[in-house]
Amino acid sequence: MRDLVTEVLSAVRTEVPDATVAVVGAYDTRLADLADHDGVELAGAVADLTPWYAGADVVVVPLREGAGSRIKVLEAFAHRRPVVATTAAVAGLEVVDGRSVHLGTTAAELAAHTVRLLASPDDARRTIDEAEAVLSAHYLLDVVVPRARRLLLGRPLEDT
């Protein structure tokens, strides 16, 4: 989060001066000082993410390391928001860089993708449409449940 605020947001604001970042979800209290930065809101844990996604033009997921599900990316897809992320943030997901998601490894790359999506509603819409196709083909319950059932029954997935 610190890199998102101090590096990515700073770079984005050189092109889009009114850009803001909302950090939504529980966060370590060591990040509280980020609220002192212009254009940063630390929302903390919220009961409903829907209004936050609705207010976002781009979702940036700058995860550097980690394991487990990539629920933030899938949530953004479900809320029809374009995603800019690191490769760690999408590890294991069936995404294509430059189509369903825009990947960067540095703050400058993440910022450049974000600026481009903010400046081009057509690019953002294409990304959203591609992400929705990925979500529908691989991650919705009507796809996941039959696959899980087949795995639990010891049947090969290629028959699905």
Side-chain angles (χ1 to χ4, degrees):
M1 282 302 114
R2 192 165 300 284
D3 289 347
L4 175 64
V5 169
T6 61
E7 295 181 38
V8 178
L9 179 60
S10 296
V12 168
R13 289 189 102 184
T14 63
E15 300 292 325
V16 185
D18 61 343
T20 61
V21 166
V23 179
V24 182
Y27 61 89
D28 188 312
T29 56
R30 292 176 294 173
L31 298 178
D33 66 300
L34 295 179
D36 297 336
H37 291 263
D38 191 33
V40 176
E41 179 178 1
L42 295 180
V46 298
D48 183 10
L49 292 170
T50 303
W52 294 95
Y53 278 112
D57 294 315
V58 176
V59 174
V60 180
V61 187
L63 187 66
R64 297 286 179 211
E65 57 187 46
S69 66
R70 303 302 183 226
I71 211 70
K72 287 173 181 43
V73 173
L74 297 177
E75 281 178 342
F77 286 4
H79 285 275
R80 294 192 50 78
R81 292 296 172 253
V83 174
V84 172
T86 59
T87 54
V90 299
L93 294 179
E94 297 288 333
V95 296
V96 177
D97 183 22
R99 294 187 55 138
S100 51
V101 69
H102 298 274
L103 300 177
T105 56
T106 67
E109 290 170 346
L110 295 171
H113 289 309
T114 301
V115 166
R116 189 171 85 308
L117 290 168
L118 290 171
S120 175
D122 289 340
D123 283 349
R125 195 171 312 103
R126 278 191 293 277
T127 301
I128 289 166
D129 291 344
E130 289 283 342
E132 185 175 53
V134 167
L135 185 69
S136 296
H138 300 285
Y139 302 106
L140 294 182
L141 285 177
D142 60 341
V143 174
V144 174
V145 170
R147 286 182 178 177
R149 186 173 287 126
R150 292 190 72 73
L151 285 172
L152 291 171
L153 296 173
R155 295 183 185 147
L157 287 178
E158 58 271 4
D159 291 347
T160 59

